[in-house]
Amino acid sequence: MITPSTIAVFEQVMKQYAAELRQIGLTIDQEPDRITEFLHTSALQAINHMMIPPEYGGQPIVTIGNERYYGLTSLERVITIEQLAAGDAGVFLGGPGPSMSSIVMMDLGDEEQKERFYSQFMKGPAWAVFALSEPEKGSDATEISTRITRHPDHTMELTGHKFYIGNGHRASIGLAFAQTNRTPLGIQAAIIDPSRPGFTATPLDTMGLRGLRLSHLQFQSYPLEEQDILGRHLSPTKRGLWGALRTFHRMRPSVAALALGVAQAAYDYVTEHRTVFTEREKTGLERLEIRLHSLRNMIRHAAAEIDHDANKGYLASLSKIRAASLAEEATDWALDMMGPGSMLEHPLLNKWYRDARAFEFMEGTTSIQKINVFQAYANGKMQHV
Ligand SMILES: Cc1cc2nc3c(=O)[nH]c(=O)nc-3n(C[C@H](O)[C@H](O)[C@H](O)COP(=O)(O)OP(=O)(O)OC[C@H]3O[C@@H](n4cnc5c(N)ncnc54)[C@H](O)[C@@H]3O)c2cc1C
């Protein structure tokens, strides 16, 4: 159970990992592929195991007495991820581990699929992709055009493009979402193995979160097998897109926590590097501190609620809207506070300014989050907020 004293231990452990991430943040920003040189660090070793259930070999990321925490709940993740992102969001996201694909595996995978998926990370650090977005279809997942085609001889193949896919060219396993027919229930998730023919991954050049190595994936007559398709043991309404949407609800507080971590890092940087403030600056500083504090409460509340009921995704949407905007504001503010030339003189602020711009797009833009919130309001779900 997570209590205030548990949270304090989580934060303490994660701050140590965060210090390791901070040390290599600028290096990975310049040369993202050098992350392989740092896989021995305790931070990246822990991240490789984060979100792996113990029955599949996962190691706890935090142990308190007899309690072991594996990052399996939204609340554990937001506490953890805020600290790691304050260390370096790009290295955290570019680190190994099953990441958000793990949530879909837990919901939709059968025993054999889970063994196959999680065993990748037991052999050593490995990366997984979660491939949903496409070049023309980001916000509206129901319109994806990547297809699973079943041939009369019972063979199957996957054809299409996926875009902005985190760690795409590093992955040794992952999940791809594709249409089997043109209905929302026709969207299925399949385990993909990048070593099979027909798969290519090309890294994209990005300004922020460069450690994540967003990639363009192409599947050209990529051979699929029946055991690759997730959710075969579930009813059609519980497979595919349903799995992706539940994943988004449960991961969205983590994106908010990433943004909060970067905003907090910018605030801390200014308070560490400047000691004298004008009255006006002091007011700005205090206001930002209060906003960081209230956003943290909002994100933790959303995460705890979603752990009880994954349908409360609108709470995650609200906190993600606030967090993405605060990360942008806080990084702008920090550059202002450090004076003219701070983009050049303070490489970390320069980096965080660029990183902060990515959160708006991750797991849905503000417009899309507002649509989620409006739908919850219109359906009467929000009356007790
Ligand atoms: C750092 C980062 C990591 C990512 N990682 C992954 C990943 O691992 N896997 C993955 O699958 N995807 C990933 N993505 C992709 C991300 O999910 C998409 O960028 C996002 O869903 C938005 O899609 P899009 O970029 O195609 O924008 P579009 O959908 O083209 O939207 C463009 C603009 O139109 C607006 N808009 C779109 N539809 C509506 C509407 N109905 N009403 C009002 N406004 C609308 C949007 O708000 C936005 O401002 C990542 C993106 C980033 C930036």
Side-chain angles (χ1 to χ4, degrees):
M1 187 179 152
I2 303 275
T3 61
S5 60
T6 324
I7 292 175
V9 178
F10 259 80
E11 288 177 340
Q12 198 187 347
V13 173
M14 293 307 146
K15 275 186 175 32
Q16 288 166 15
Y17 292 148
E20 289 185 347
L21 301 186
R22 176 72 64 85
Q23 265 184 3
I24 58 175
L26 289 171
T27 305
I28 302 303
D29 185 53
Q30 280 168 17
E31 297 174 81
D33 289 335
R34 287 188 61 193
I35 199 158
T36 51
E37 293 171 29
F38 302 98
L39 295 176
H40 61 279
T41 58
S42 48
L44 291 184
Q45 291 281 328
I47 291 168
N48 184 52
H49 273 268
M50 192 171 159
M51 296 170 66
I52 301 181
E55 57 273 31
Y56 299 101
Q59 300 291 320
I61 50 167
V62 173
T63 303
I64 305 171
N66 293 329
E67 300 278 349
R68 288 155 193 243
Y69 299 92
Y70 299 86
L72 297 177
T73 68
S74 290
L75 185 54
E76 288 169 40
R77 285 194 291 273
V78 294
I79 299 163
T80 301
I81 289 174
E82 179 197 335
Q83 298 302 328
L84 297 177
D88 193 274
V91 183
F92 165 66
L93 289 168
S99 186
M100 60 200 284
S101 291
S102 184
I103 297 183
V104 182
M105 281 309 298
M106 283 186 250
D107 280 346
L108 303 186
D110 61 28
E111 278 311 304
E112 184 267 326
Q113 289 169 330
K114 288 179 188 169
E115 287 288 351
R116 179 176 154 203
F117 179 79
Y118 291 117
S119 66
Q120 287 291 319
F121 309 94
M122 299 302 115
K123 299 173 200 156
W127 286 265
V129 286
F130 178 95
L132 178 64
S133 306
E134 299 188 354
E136 306 290 328
K137 317 273 165 35
S139 299
D140 189 355
T142 59
E143 286 296 316
I144 56 173
S145 55
T146 297
R147 279 197 71 78
I148 296 173
T149 309
R150 288 175 189 272
H151 297 297
D153 63 356
H154 301 295
T155 58
M156 273 190 292
E157 61 182 40
L158 183 66
T159 306
H161 293 255
K162 296 287 176 185
F163 215 58
Y164 301 136
I165 307 304
N167 294 315
H169 91 302
R170 300 173 169 142
S172 57
I173 196 153
L175 300 180
F177 290 82
Q179 289 276 2
T180 51
N181 58 55
R182 296 213 64 83
T183 67
L185 290 185
I187 294 175
Q188 303 261 289
I191 301 181
I192 54 157
D193 171 356
S195 67
R196 287 190 197 162
F199 175 89
T200 51
T202 313
L204 303 166
D205 198 15
T206 59
M207 285 186 66
L209 296 181
R210 288 167 50 78
L212 177 58
R213 266 316 212 186
L214 289 185
S215 301
H216 175 191
L217 311 187
Q218 285 184 70
F219 298 92
Q220 283 176 320
S221 301
Y222 168 94
L224 273 179
E225 292 165 14
E226 209 56 62
Q227 60 266 32
D228 298 332
I229 308 292
L230 294 191
R232 290 170 300 162
H233 57 303
L234 301 172
S235 70
T237 52
K238 298 224 157 144
R239 299 176 200 153
L241 196 57
W242 179 85
L245 292 178
R246 278 174 65 90
T247 301
F248 284 144
H249 292 336
R250 283 182 281 166
M251 282 309 288
R252 203 164 285 136
S254 301
V255 179
L258 279 168
L260 172 62
V262 172
Q264 183 71 53
Y267 171 89
D268 292 342
Y269 190 93
V270 171
T271 54
E272 277 160 29
H273 288 81
R274 275 194 57 179
T275 43
V276 181
F277 297 95
T278 64
E279 283 308 311
R280 197 154 169 265
E281 286 172 340
K282 270 190 212 157
T283 309
L285 199 68
E286 283 163 13
R287 211 173 145 249
L288 180 55
E289 190 182 7
I290 290 167
R291 290 176 71 198
L292 290 165
H293 183 72
S294 64
L295 177 61
R296 181 169 301 109
N297 288 340
M298 187 180 184
I299 294 171
R300 289 180 182 176
H301 170 69
E305 287 292 312
I306 286 166
D307 282 333
H308 285 292
D309 179 359
N311 293 317
K312 290 192 172 171
Y314 56 90
L315 291 175
S317 292
L318 285 168
S319 50
K320 203 240 150 181
I321 293 170
R322 285 268 291 273
S325 137
L326 190 60
E328 293 190 13
E329 279 182 55
T331 50
D332 282 351
W333 168 86
L335 283 165
D336 273 356
M337 293 293 281
M338 297 311 293
S342 49
M343 267 285 193
L344 293 174
E345 286 164 17
H346 299 276
L348 281 173
L349 290 184
N350 176 315
K351 177 181 189 301
W352 296 336
Y353 176 87
R354 289 181 283 111
D355 288 350
R357 269 69 203 159
F359 302 127
E360 163 62 13
F361 292 94
M362 287 178 82
E363 290 184 37
T365 60
T366 293
S367 305
I368 301 303
Q369 307 302 339
K370 284 183 178 169
I371 293 172
N372 290 345
V373 174
F374 174 74
Q375 282 171 346
Y377 179 73
N379 295 335
K381 284 189 195 165
M382 278 184 71
Q383 56 200 351
H384 300 300
V385 172

